[in-house]
Structures are given as structure tokens and as C-alpha cells.
Amino acid sequence: MSSEDTSARRRVAKGPGCSGGFMSGSDYDTDPLQYDDHKDGHSKLRPPIGGRVSSGRLHKPYPTPPTSISDFIHQNLEHLPPAIYTLLSCWTRFHKIGLADIVVWDEAHFGKFGSHYLKREFYFDVHPPLGKMLVAFAGLLSGYDGNFEFKSGEKYPDTVPYVAMRVMMATFGVALVPLGWYTAVELGLSPWACHLVALMVLCDVAWLCISRFILLDSMLLFFTFTTVFFLTKFHNQQYQSFSFDWWLWLALTGISIGCVTSVKWVGLFVTAVVGIYTIEDLWDKFGDLRMSTRNQLRHWGARILCLILLPILVYMTFFKLHFLILNHTGPGDAQMSSLFQAHLVGNDFWRNPLEVAYGSKITLKNMGWGGGLLHSHVQTYPSGSTQQQVTCYHYKDDNNHWLVLPRWNGPAYNPNEELRFVKNGDVIRLQHAPTTRSLHSHPIPAPITKLNYEVSCYGNSTVGDVQDHWVIEVVDDIRQGKKESLDRIRSLTTRARLRHEVLGCYLSAANKVLPQWGFKQIEVSCVKENDPDDIHTYWNVESHWNDRLPAGDVKHYKSAFLRDFWHLNVAMMTSNNALVPDPDKDDILASHPTDWPWLRLGLRMCGWGDNQPKYYLLGTPLVWWGGTLSLIVFVALLGIYLVRWQRRYVDMDATGWAHFLYVGKVAFYGWFLHYAPFFIMGRVTYLHHYLPTLYFSVLMSAHVMDHCIFSARWKEKTKRILFGVTAFAIVANFWWFRGMAWGIEGPVNEYWGLQWRKVGFFSVVMEACDDNWSAIRLSF
Amino acid sequence: MASPGRIRNRKPIGTSRSDNYDQDDEDHVNAVYQRPTARSAFEQALDTPKASAAVVGILTALAFALRFYKINHPDQVVFDEVHFGKFASYYILRQYYFDVHPPFAKLLFGLAGWFVGFDGHFSFDNIGDSYTENHVPYVGMRALPAILGSLTIPVVYAIMKETGHSTIVAAFSACIVLFDNAHVAQSRLILLDATLIFFMALTIYSYIRFRKLRYWEFSVEWWSWLIATGFFMACAWGSKVNGILTVLTIGIAVLIDLWDILDIKKGHTLEHFWQHFLARALGLIVVPFIIYLSFFYVHFAVLTYSGPGDSFMSPAFQETLIGNELLMHSQELRYYDVIALKHRDTKVFLHSHPDRYPLQYDDGRISSQGQQVTGYGYEDANNHWQIIPTKALPEAGRGRVVQHEDVIQLLHVNTQTLLLTHDVASPLMPTNQEFTTWPKDDHSRHNDTLFYLDLIDGNAGDTWKSKSGHFRLVHVPTKVSMWTHAKQLPDWAFKQQEINGNKNSVEKSATWYVDEIVSTDSNLDLAEINTPKEPKKLGFFRKFAELQLLMLQHNAGLTASHPYASTPINWPFLISGISFWTENDTQKQIYLIGNAIGWATCVILIAIYVGIISADVVARRRDIEAIPEHIRNRLWNSAGFFFLIWAVHYLPFFLMSRQLFIHHYLPSHLASALLAGSVLSFILSDTINFPISVAGRRTHMRPSEYADLGTKGPIVVGIFAAIMFAMFVFIAPLTYGTPGLDGDAVNSKRLLSSWTLHFAAKNT
């Protein structure tokens, strides 16, 4: 569609066609002053009002309803190729899907999380809940009872319908192919290019492989694809703003954004693509002086409603569901606030005696987002005072137990005396129950945050000094309000700070992780600055045991959804950032982002024994390399066109230029925004993080091929031959590597090692892998 | 991709003002026309060359006074003088050292030290070491940055004058830098930043002079300022790694400029464009690069003796240094030599002893129960291994020398067993192969005892040398590389270090070398080896490439946490400083912190600038042109250039993961002072000096305008300078480190609670 005005090429422009608005077809109306001498030329080119869109699929009037069967077939003939591709994709996705009857790769995680939903136990994970809820739903539909542990590499028992679950997950993978096709159609690519997109999506081994297991990636990819598809649909509705279709596609884009971010946070990147598109679009409309203010506001309002509020609502809805389903205690309790935990079925916090007294045994929970329990263990600091370590830790064990005792130089605690409750402003001593040492601080720099004082455990039940004294400063009580109105310390609800009596510093745990000698637990230190708003210095009593006090009542405790929602999200964020490369451990599965575009290495997904099917996550090289190459070609082309434009050569008419830019920008922004952030993130990265990114490079390769070959001035025969060669190469490439996704049976060294040796560097990769992959893998 | 607005406007941001000369807008002419004598008396008086010279003279004198005041205090090593003072003494001693920063500024310090008679005997080991007790002429060395720091002030003034701002605005910008405590503290000590900032300012100045000559293209002045830009740019880059940001700034400005020249509406031919392109390539790429190289040339020429930096470098490099250990003791290895091998990173010997691996480890895995092979840190007869050939050898001669890629066996001398590895997991890492030994007479495992020698950067035919011949030992059948890591084995191996086979056969940390030849049966006398040898030669470019690469790697590797490191977002707001030096007895301290008034002014004016520009963009999108064209051009071009300098010197730090300090913001602070002046001028007056470029032969003459700030200009700036000075004096005890402060005084100086000052009184 960009080749109508071919005669205009290589001509120094003095008249029409020299503008080429950079953004889309409709923004060459600015700066009339600068354009004085060309003004007439522009106005001729200005697209008719109402038909602003000159990129994307050309709008065709709707056909009349079919009156005969042949009419109907004729009208729907265009849907035949995608239908065939979809059937083919069903075959590739479902073929031998149950071959590996063991827990493969991260099925260990996501299968397990699915089971938690079925058992309704609260768990904690770095990913939002939608994907795992869908896994659980698949389990529910297929009759899985949730009682399998999903230990890595373990054989599935008969009670686990893993094939059915995998098939349901793979269905998301099947849908990628028609989505790819229709997105290409909506982008306005030629039929040749649409075929290429569908073929590449169908034939990529990595996408195939990752869709065939109980993993989140197939859903992440599915929602990424739908987001782009809805966006392109919406773009093509721009000629009829505020029509029903316009609203429909805009709202669907918003919902899709909500879903993709609810599967994995990587979905934020595709959200950013939609964001950039929308900002450009609105900026464009902002410059349209003919548009009424009312319409301007409506445009802004529609975007805010559908692309900001709606996704947030969708995202929060899934969390609400998450909390509703998971109402029993489970392994993830400790990540949440004490109040939230009190409400889970099976938790006995509410049995805690209400008010803390001297002699009580308590656990202290840090109230910072994702904070843990105050913990100590017999290991000592390797530097500083070399006294016993004090840390913050999420898991519940006896080392979190502290006894509340009076100060050294006052009357000692006597179990038989009258009960004395702890009050605001009291000076107390906290004795670590298992080791009988007291919580202690001194003017020695803390191991990580060197500006703070170190906190340690020192002495024993009879030996200690004034450095063991802590003053309780109540902040407030969530149930009872301001501190003026309360006197005693209540478990769970009272927020308090602990001030060191001698040094005046505050006990704090601010998500700084100790090195291996501290078992990667969180550093506890004493912060000198008195910042009353620093939530990391807030603590509450979580568990509370005191035989001399009556048990509490559940009605004292209640937690708000928004608070829990926010708390869980911050905790997810914190753990996600904590997945940093561990210098002590050589994670052979991790890879660096620079390895991805050229597919320098793959990822071994399961054990490598002779008698089990083996899976290896590696893309179809032609698709990956072609995609990366096309990005470079696009940038080069753009550079050349811009320079030529600066010299007033006309390569394309305005429509062609707008189309070239529109498709190119969707693909390039998408690729860039999905790729560049991985360089900035400090966390461990793996090959499968590139899979959503790949989609945009696939779109780009189809676009570049389309621009340079299928829509350019070549003979029809040449185009046909070039398409045939490309398509054949992709399919052949896929066939060559199909085993990696379908599973390789038999010993590697005979059958597979030899095969890859021919391909060169893959052999190196194979040998570099090792067998204890499961021990290393933490998450993702 | 480029921002859409920029391309559509056809008049890229920050470039030529020549459009104004082209489009003669008749209405505009009258509006702009103004007589120079119609301005306020103040403006006219200050605008004369004499007045301008007086102003700049006073400012410069003040700058010298503030930077030289008590420069001899403290007579102790302060903060990073530990490093840079030391490097200066290495230049004087001509001993090789290694640092992440390029050598220019340090060479200057070396030169300054040599000038004032420093003999390099003092090594600046700890903060607080006394200079006077050690007879170091430190004042002379500190004078260098103080002079450069003082001279920065007139350059700032000149930049503002050259960009068409009135005298009083130029003085305003200069005052922000002049009275800034951070700039003063930084330039009174032996630190690199003053040099960097001075040359950065000169680069900006030269580039502006160059741009103003654009209608006199290819004239002598034009060429001079172009080359000067390149020269100063190289000096900035050669002073500190951050100087690369100055290069980047100029690079971006030049690209925009070239894009503009390319525009066909300018009417230039492509040949003309290429001439411009090549001229800039010469002046801003070739010239700076040659100068940058020449710094390194001098660096290598001066540092000819072995020093503390040896071990960073490759063996080939080390052998060029006089007195280097490798050079002294390196010797070719022959078959049947008995040697001791050492791991490069962890410095342990390859060791074996008759004890065996336990049958089962704690985690349940099974071992081969073979003889232990470990890493041991001390000299021991069990570290001795003999090189056994796997091919027939001639009786004597070169054929007996071990070469790159030779397949060898290593025989453990004490137990007469051969080193072996096999597909059994190592004790600590299930992913890596176990190393053990095998009796030499039992040939059943012959293949597993074969290793080939992979010399680092080796070529076929290179010989294996002790000390200098770094190598990997790669197992022939399984391709694993002998490797060790700083983890100890349990008691059964006497807490020695684990040796295992790393499956990455080109692993960098799997590098070993021969530490010592214990005995040799060759007819060479071992004693002969120890006679001094001539240093070898290595091409300058190979040396340069190696050093440059290492500098980059180490710079990125500076990630250790530091108590006074801060994140970039805190810098403009002066959230925290750096404690440079403290003296407990007198409660004196030097704390690097800026002038709160100056920094706040800069931040506010930057925010205003961004606001004005955004409002302008938005308004023009709606076809509202609120700002007259020539003033708008000044805002976009001159102030835009200052903003570009600020952003390019600041934003990249957000992407860096190395440890960062507030003094990294000082170049940006200087740029923000320039921008602040420009914005102040915009706020106070709607007139500018115009045109400021030198008109060429074919330039249309334009009606000119003169900036007139009226009486409010001097008043505002005068009051501002007074407040700045007051604030400077208030913080001065922290800047000069004298007089000592008692607790309450420290508390009162703590303007923000986040300033981590010492000797503060207890909060009550």
C-alpha cells in the first residue's frame, strides 16, 4: 500500500509529498509559519476530516449480509488460512504432550501454587495471582484434588491429571497463532507478511516448548498478544471515535492490560507500549485545533477510564479473589501483616492474650512492607562486635521467641508476683528465649548500613548491662486509634517503636540482606535518626504466650483489603528485587540479556538422564536471528529515510510513511521496552524473559520484509519465490529443532549430542549444562 | 527515535539561530529595534569592557582568596588524598601504579609535587597522617587544584557573557560557583575534580566561541576554537572518567548542528556538509583522541619501574617494567621440571596429600575415594609436581620446552601419582568434577590423566614460562578446566581449599601460573635466572588498549558499599555530604556539602526552566505563541545547551551501579549555575543581547537588541550574593575544617537532619 506513488521517488521535492509527518498521517498541520513556502502542498495532502487514520489496516465498508452459502463462503474466505494455522498449532502444541510424566522445570512452582488454591492455603510468590489461579482452575476442571507436592523431577501419580492440565495451558499457546495472524492483518501488513507472522509464531520452538507445560508463560504470552491485537483493533477504529466498536476495543485493551500484569509484572512493559501509543495519539489530538474542547476532554477521559482505571480495577479484582480463595493458613503467612494472618482459618493469633505483661513470651514483627520477625541464632557476626547475630526472618521457629523482662537495675521478674502490664514508655529488656541472651546495641557500625549501630545478643539470663535496655514508644493502635487513648501494649494491633535507652537509637530492619554468613536474612540495626514516620522502625507483637493471662478474642482483629493488597504488592516487589545473582553460586541456567537476541544459549528444562524425555528451551534460530536483524535493518532504514528527507528526497507518500512508522514503532517500542529494562534490573535473568520480547521482533521482521519485498516494486514472481524460500526455511528450521520441544528420548550423547555438533556452538551449550538444575532454581 | 516535535519543526532544538536572519518579519523588526543608549544607566555602565573587566577581576580575586584561605590546614591527609597524593608520589618515584581514572590530572599533581620538591617518600597511607611530620610540601600540591578551581570562576563568567547575557547575570552565575562550599572544599585538596571541572568549563566556553563563528566557517578563528574545544575536551576526559560525559555533551550538540546543516533549506550542497563533517571529525575526534593518547604515552614513559600496579596487568605488560618480579624470575619450562603451581585469583598452591576423599559426603553424595587434591596457601613439599610429556622428546635442545596446547601429565612428586579428573561430582559443588590422583604405573586410567596447556592469549608455538605464563589446565577427555574457589573443604581435608573441574573450559577465574621451578634437569643454572634483565618492549597501543580495558572493568566493579556513598536523586537537593576528615581533640571536621542557598536556587531555576519549556511546547501545539521568537530561540538554544550539559552530566549516573558520591554532581552543578543565570535573565527582563554571533559576509544584517535588566538586576543579584556569602561563611567551618565546633554549633550547622556531621551534641 505504500507503493502507489512510486514515480515520486528520487525527486527533489518542491511540492506535495515532502512532508511525511513523523507520527501518523495527521500531524503535518503544525507550524504553518515554518512551512510557508510549502503550504499549498500540505493542504492538498491533508487527509479528509474524519478519515484521519492513514496507517494500519485500510478501512473497508462492511459487506452486505450474505444471502447465499457461496456468498458467505466468499466473504469469509479470508479466515481460512488462520483456521488452518490454528489447527496446525493445535497439533504442534498437543503432540505427545504427556510424554514426560514427571514434574518438569517450574511446574514444581506453579503446579504447587495451583494446589494451594485448591487447598485454599495462603502462599506467597513474587508473581501476581491470575496465572496461578488459572492453573488451579485447570486443575479443578480436570478433577485434581490439590494433594500433590509437585516436587521437582518427581513422577506424577495417577491422581494428578497432568495431561489435562497441560492441555489447558497449551490452549493459550494455540491461541497465539491466530492472534498473530489477525494482529498482522490489523496492522495493515500484506497477506504475504501475515502468513510470515503466523508461520513464525507457529514454528518457534521456544514458544512451543514453554506452552506445553504447567507454567505461567503461555498465559503471559497470550495476554501480551491480545493486548497488541486489541490495540491495533482500536487504532483502526480511530476514524469513528466514540462509536461502540471504538469503546469496545479500547475497553478490551484496558482489560487485557489488567490481565497481563496480573500474570507477571513483565506485563507492565506491554502496558508501557500502550502508554506511549496513547500519549502520542493524545498529543496529536491536542494539536488538532479544529477539535472541540468537549471532544478533547472526552478523549482524555476515555483513555483515563479504560487504560488506567479499568486495568487497576481488574488487577485488584484478582487480588480480592486471591484473598477470598486463600482463607486458610499456609506457607506464605509470614510475608503478611500480623493482623492479616490473624484472620486466616487455622491461625491462632486471636487466641493470644490481649495485653502484654512482664514475663510474656512474644514474637516481634517488623511492620515495614515485607518485614519479618525479630530473630537471633547462635551464629555470631564475623566482624564488628562478633557477638551473636540478630536478624529479621520470615519463617516461624523458636529462635523468634523473646521474653519481656524488666530492666536490670529494677526489681527482677517474679512469676508469682502480681501481674505487671507493659506500658507506653516502659524500659524493658528482651531476652532471646533459646539462648537467654539479651537484645543489645552498642556504638559499633552495623555490618551493612554502616551509619547505624549494630544490634546483637549479649550476656545471659543473669549477666547484662544497661545497653540491654529498650524504651517502648507506642505509635498508635490500629483498632484503638491514637496513643493518647491507650495505656497497655496489645498484641497484633499496637504499633510501637523500640528506643535504645543509652544510645537513643531505634531498632530497625530495612530490607538490607545480610551476606551468606547471615544466611541471607534481613539486617537488624539501630538507626540514629529519629524519624517518627519510618515504618521500618515500627514493630508489633505477633504471637503472645502468657499462661497467666486469658486468651483473646477474634473480634479484636480486623484487616482492610486495600492495606493487605498494598502490603502484598510491596512484599512481592521486595522479594523480586532480592532475586539478585548470587556470586557464591554459579547459576548455570541464568543468562545475560545480551545472550538472548542472538540465541547464544538455551535453558535445560529437566534432568538429562538417558531414560527420560529431555526438553531444552531454545528458539528457532532463524526466527530469533531474523527478528534481531530486522530491528537493525529498520533503524538503518529509518536513518536513511530521515537523512534523505532532510535533503528533500521523497521516498514514500504521506500514507506510506505513516504506515511505515506506525507498524515500525509498535514493533520497535515493544521490543525495546521489553528488552532494555532487563539491563537495568539487578535481578537474575533467564532466557524465557525474552519470549514476550520476541513477538515484537517477529512483527518487525514481517514488517521489514513487507516493506522491502512484498509491498515494494518487485515482480510478483520474485515475491512469490522469496516468500517460498523464507517460509520453507522457517518450517525446515523448526523441523530440525522440533525434538527440543517435543522431548528427546534416549541417551543424549548418541542421539542428540552428535546432531548438534553439526550446528556448531550448541554443542558447547549442551556440555556446559549440569544435572542438578533443580537445586539451583529458586523461582521463575 | 527522535522526538517527533523536533523533526517536524525542521528547526532542531539547540541549534542555529540563523533562521532569524533568513525570515525577515517586518512587524518584528520594529519590535526588536532598540538603541543601546536607551537602556538603564546601570546596564550601560556595567556593559562597558572596563566595568566587565573590573567585575571579573573582583570575582577572580575573591575566588583565589576563598580557595587559598588556610590552604595549609589541615596538615594531614584528607579523604581521597590517600589515593591521588599517593599516585603523585608514584610518578615522582616512577613506579607503576593502577587506577581507574585517566592520568592527566594525576600527572599534573606529579608535576606540581616535583616542582615544589616533593621526593615521593611519603605514601599517603591513611587519612589523618601528618604532612608536617613527614616533611611533605603539600601546600604546593594543593595549590594546583586551588588555582584551577579559582580560574573556573572567570570562565563561568565568560561563558555567560559570550552567550549574550548581561554583566550582572554573568556575575550571578559566577557567584553561585564562587561561593559554593562544595566547590571550594573540593578544590582545596589533592583531588581530581577541580581539574575536571576547569577543563569542562573551558570546553563549553570554546564550543560556544566556535558556534558563534558559524557564519565565518573555516576561518582561522573558527578552526582555532574548534581545535581548542577538542583539546580541552581531551583534558577533561583525561582527568577523570566522568569527563567522557563532556565529550558526550559536545557530541550531541555537534550532531544536532550537523543535522541542521544538512537541511536543504539552508541551501548547502552535500560537499559543503561533508566539509563540515570532516572538520568536526578532525577537531572533535581525531585531535582529542591524539591528546588523550599522549597522556597515556607520557604516563607509560614516566612509569618505567615496577610498582604496586604490576599485578593488575598481563604478564607481557609486566615484563616491560624495570625490576618486575616476572621479568626477573620468568623462565622457560622444560619437561621433567618440578614446579609449584599457584592459582592467580586466590593465591593457593596446587596441593595433594595421601589422605583420601571420604566415601560419602554429608549431603549423601558419593565420592571416588581417591587421593585428595586441594589448594594450600603455604609452601610445602606436597605442592611439587613434575611435568611429564606425552610425546617422545629429543635428548636436548628446544624440543624439551613445553609449548602452548601441549598435552601433558602432572606427577605429584611425593606420592608418585598423576593428576586426574573424571565425571564424579566434586565435594562442594555437584556441578563440577572432582580432582584426584592415580598411581603412575597403573595405565588403566591413562586418558583421564591427560591435560592440555591453554596459555592465556597464547599462540601456537609459544613457550610456557614460569611466573609470566598464565594458563588454564584443560582436561582432554571431558574439557573441564582446573579451577578453585575461596571455599574451604571440611575437616577431613584440613580446611584446605577445594580444587575442581569447571565445565566452562574458558572460565576466566581458572587461571594458574607456575610460581617456582623447584628443580630442573636442564643444564641451565637456576642462579643464572636471577640476574637482572633488560625490560622487554611492548607496543604503546597494546599497552594502552590493555590499560583502558582494565580501567573500564575496574570502574564498573567499584560496587562495594561506602558509608558516604549516595544515590543521584539526592544530589541536587543536597541531602547528604561526605565526611572528608575529622580531628577528635579539637572537634574539627571537613564535610563536603554545598552552599544550601546556591543549590536550592539552582534546583528552583531548573524547575522553572523545565516549566517554561513545557508550557511553550504545549502552547505552541495549540498555536499560541506567547514568547517572542528571538527570546524563545535564546531559551531553547543557549539555555537549552546549558540544560543539555546539566542533564548529560547528571542523568547517566542513574544507570551506573558503581558507588557514587555527591562530588560527582559538581560538573552538573556548574551547568545548573549557567542555566540559572539564563533563567534569571528571562525572568527579570524580556530583552536580550542580540545578535551575538559574528556576522559573516552573506549574513543579513538584523536589527539588534540590548539586554536591559534595569536597576532591579544589580539589586537582586547584589542581595543574592550577600546571602550566598553569609551562608558560605556559616558553613565555612565545615569546609575549611577550622575552627573546631562544639556539639551545639555542629547541631546548628546541620541544616538538614540527613547531614551526617560528627561531634553533634546528643539529641534530647
Side-chain angles (χ1 to χ4, degrees), chain A residues 30-31 35 286 646-647, chain B residues 8-9 259 262 268 621-622:
Chain A
T30 51
D31 285 359
Y35 283 79
F286 184 70
Q646 187 79 338
R647 300 299 294 175
Chain B
R8 203 179 43 253
N9 285 338
W259 182 252
L262 192 63
H268 299 314
R621 189 77 191 155
R622 300 295 297 175

Side-chain angles (χ1 to χ4, degrees), chain B residues 65-115:
Chain B
L66 294 182
R67 277 144 184 85
F68 276 92
Y69 174 72
K70 288 195 178 170
I71 195 165
N72 57 343
H73 178 85
D75 62 343
Q76 297 177 6
V77 179
V78 176
F79 195 57
D80 273 356
E81 288 188 344
V82 167
H83 300 296
F84 304 119
K86 196 185 300 174
F87 296 145
S89 66
Y90 287 136
Y91 279 116
I92 290 164
L93 296 172
R94 309 194 65 180
Q95 292 179 350
Y96 189 81
Y97 73 90
F98 174 80
D99 181 35
V100 296
H101 292 295
F104 177 56
K106 290 172 292 183
L107 275 168
L108 289 183
F109 278 122
L111 196 67
W114 178 74
F115 240 71

